[in-house]
Amino acid sequence: MTSLDVERRDEDRASLKADITHTRRKFLDSVQPGELDTDPAGSASVLAFAALQTVEAALQEYRSSALGRLGRTEEAEAEARR
């Protein structure tokens, strides 16, 4: 893994973490005080599902980006020339 790959991975992780944090904050701001205490398991499920949706939304973009980077490697270019 090159330093550019590590940098991109770190950027992707930071972006996902920020998106998940934003989604979590949005959910927490939308509930009434004490509402989370009435169903802690349900609240945890909603937060986990929101995180999953955030990751799934980013996955397609990440895959496209990764495939694009792979397509520009020396090995891929050599294979294309064959």
Side-chain angles (χ1 to χ4, degrees), residues 8-72:
R8 176 63 181 177
R9 182 199 63 203
D10 291 346
E11 288 173 2
D12 291 341
R13 286 182 179 174
S15 176
L16 280 175
K17 184 176 181 179
D19 288 349
I20 290 169
T21 300
H22 173 75
T23 302
R24 179 184 175 135
R25 174 57 35 212
K26 207 166 140 181
F27 168 72
L28 293 174
D29 289 345
S30 72
V31 297
Q32 299 298 320
E35 191 175 353
L36 297 177
D37 297 332
T38 60
D39 187 7
S43 298
S45 294
V46 168
L47 291 171
F49 185 68
L52 176 64
Q53 286 183 315
T54 300
V55 170
E56 286 178 338
L59 183 59
Q60 184 60 42
E61 180 182 334
Y62 178 78
R63 280 186 183 155
S64 296
S65 173
L67 288 173
R69 287 192 310 270
L70 284 173
R72 291 188 299 268

